[in-house]
Amino acid sequence: MEDRYSRQQLFRPIGMNGQQLLQQKHVLIIGVGALGSASAEALVRAGIGRLTIVDRDYVEWSNLQRQQLYTEADAHEKLPKVIAAKARLQAINSQVIIDAHILDASSPELLLLLETVDVMIDATDNFDIRFIINDISTKYKIPWVYGSCVSSYGAVYTIIPGETPCFHCLLDVIPTSTLTCDTAGIISPAVQIVAAYQVAEALKLVTNNKEAVNRKYKTFDVWQNQNMDIDVGKMRKMQCPCCGEQAIHPYLAYENQTKLDVLCGRDAVQIRPPKAIQYNFSELVQQLQQHGHVQSNAYLLSYEVPEYRFVLFQDGRVVIHGIRDEQQAKKIYYQLLG
């Protein structure tokens, strides 16, 4: 095992000193879907000291095409992604400390996980969470690496508090699209390229090679053979509410956080109760199995009828698949849980 990282240490910018630094660092990955699972595996293989992974979802069959940590057995059992991911990651490198959290990445939950975190990696699929990550970054001076991909397109940008424009500063220049994985699909090479760039940026930061960080907003289309780096260095705004001179970090405020949202990329609505609620799964299984198909494990309960699928997590959070109307989702939620 002593030569485990020998090839990485031969890479001069890392070397022995960089490897030792890497093994003392802590990275937080928010989301372990396509981008998150690829980044988590790369960092674990590289020998990161500690990795915290956060995700609210469970493994589905449609994930297997691009989310490399998961298997058919995980999809069959509907295992929460962080549970399946942790098992695979620990099998890859048992020396890494891995903390896995099944939760929705709102600011109260993320703030509890920040102790000793050196870098955050964005592997989410919605802007609500990205703005929370951005505010956490600017307030607590923790760098983060943004990443997104859809179809054959991808984008990456590294935010270093106090040195680069923050994510909010770039709202006027970030290329936007109405495409989602659900409408335009996605190919795994786009995922792997974004994840590779994100991990490379994280490695630069945790091995004290900050001068090598790409401070441009990088985009590419792997199918159309297009690449572009946007120089955003002058986009930092002194009046930005997130990183400016009078920053108020608005996205950490409770009233600015989404409690009910349509999940990106699929017909599903998530509902979060005002506070965590623990239900008796055994009782619910008996009640619900009279009306539809029920499946449960230690982490969640799934109830399915022809019109929709209702998934209840241990903390009371619910995802209702098969609908996009929020009012209809609320109605189903109260019908089943009271």
Side-chain angles (χ1 to χ4, degrees):
M1 291 179 63
E2 59 191 29
D3 66 345
R4 179 170 200 148
Y5 308 113
S6 60
R7 302 304 186 270
Q8 184 165 274
Q9 290 169 182
L10 287 172
F11 179 62
R12 190 168 297 175
I14 293 181
M16 289 285 291
N17 289 337
Q19 189 65 46
Q20 290 175 359
L21 281 172
L22 185 60
Q23 291 173 265
Q24 298 168 11
K25 299 295 184 175
H26 181 189
V27 173
L28 168 63
I29 299 180
I30 301 99
V32 280
L35 289 178
S37 58
S39 294
E41 180 171 337
L43 286 169
V44 163
R45 290 187 183 277
I48 192 69
R50 181 177 176 186
L51 183 69
T52 296
I53 52 176
V54 174
D55 198 284
R56 65 188 180 185
D57 215 343
Y58 57 92
V59 182
E60 298 185 89
W61 289 95
S62 63
N63 300 151
L64 302 182
Q65 165 255 347
R66 65 198 180 281
Q67 299 184 17
Q68 64 189 52
L69 288 179
Y70 309 123
T71 67
E72 291 184 354
D74 299 329
H76 180 73
E77 295 176 26
K78 291 184 171 62
L79 277 183
K81 288 183 179 179
V82 294
I83 301 300
K86 180 176 179 177
R88 178 69 185 278
L89 294 169
Q90 292 283 212
I92 291 170
N93 192 340
S94 60
Q95 298 175 338
V96 177
I97 298 170
I98 300 175
D99 301 319
H101 300 272
I102 310 169
L103 54 81
D104 194 36
S106 60
S107 63
E109 286 78 13
L110 289 178
L111 290 173
L112 295 174
L113 305 178
L114 294 183
E115 186 177 2
T116 74
V117 167
D118 297 290
V119 176
M120 298 182 291
I121 292 181
D122 159 45
T124 66
D125 59 5
N126 73 75
F127 275 76
D128 286 332
I129 298 176
R130 285 173 180 143
F131 284 131
I132 291 173
I133 296 170
N134 187 65
D135 263 2
I136 288 173
S137 168
T138 57
K139 184 173 182 178
Y140 297 98
K141 310 303 180 189
I142 303 172
W144 70 288
V145 188
Y146 159 78
S148 67
C149 51
V150 66
S151 185
S152 56
Y153 167 88
V156 182
Y157 177 60
T158 303
I159 294 94
I160 303 177
E163 298 185 26
T164 67
C166 80
F167 193 67
H168 192 274
C169 290
L170 303 190
L171 283 180
D172 295 333
V173 296
I174 292 176
T176 58
S177 171
T178 57
L179 298 179
T180 68
C181 297
D182 190 46
T183 60
I186 188 168
I187 56 174
S188 61
V191 173
Q192 297 301 321
I193 293 171
V194 171
Y197 276 120
Q198 286 187 291
V199 171
E201 294 294 284
L203 289 175
K204 295 171 189 177
L205 290 167
V206 298
T207 59
N208 291 348
N209 285 285
K210 193 165 64 171
E211 73 283 351
V213 168
N214 183 8
R215 302 189 180 220
K216 295 182 179 181
Y217 186 94
K218 176 178 287 293
T219 67
F220 67 85
D221 189 318
V222 68
W223 201 265
Q224 299 298 329
N225 305 308
Q226 297 172 349
N227 290 274
M228 180 169 59
D229 283 352
I230 304 173
D231 189 348
V232 296
K234 297 181 180 179
M235 298 296 176
R236 190 176 179 195
K237 300 174 182 177
M238 291 300 102
Q239 302 305 314
C240 174
C242 301
C243 74
E245 295 174 343
Q246 304 295 325
I248 59 172
H249 311 293
Y251 298 99
L252 298 184
Y254 179 77
E255 60 270 17
N256 291 332
Q257 297 168 22
T258 303
K259 285 78 177 178
L260 188 149
D261 53 351
V262 178
L263 298 187
C264 176
R266 52 183 163 163
D267 291 334
V269 175
Q270 175 181 259
I271 299 175
R272 284 184 277 142
K275 59 182 180 180
I277 303 173
Q278 288 194 331
Y279 291 94
N280 186 316
F281 278 14
S282 297
E283 291 182 0
L284 281 173
V285 167
Q286 292 181 354
Q287 295 172 17
L288 296 175
Q289 65 185 1
Q290 304 174 39
H291 309 289
H293 176 70
V294 181
Q295 182 179 355
S296 66
N297 55 39
Y299 311 101
L300 57 83
L301 179 151
S302 172
Y303 168 71
E304 189 168 0
V305 293
E307 297 80 16
Y308 61 83
R309 185 168 80 255
F310 180 97
V311 180
L312 171 67
F313 292 83
Q314 278 192 329
D315 61 0
R317 180 169 51 88
V318 168
V319 177
I320 306 175
H321 299 263
I323 61 172
R324 296 181 64 85
D325 181 80
E326 295 182 359
Q327 294 306 314
Q328 184 183 3
K330 283 184 180 180
K331 182 178 179 181
I332 294 169
Y333 176 81
Y334 289 120
Q335 282 178 340
L336 296 181
L337 298 180

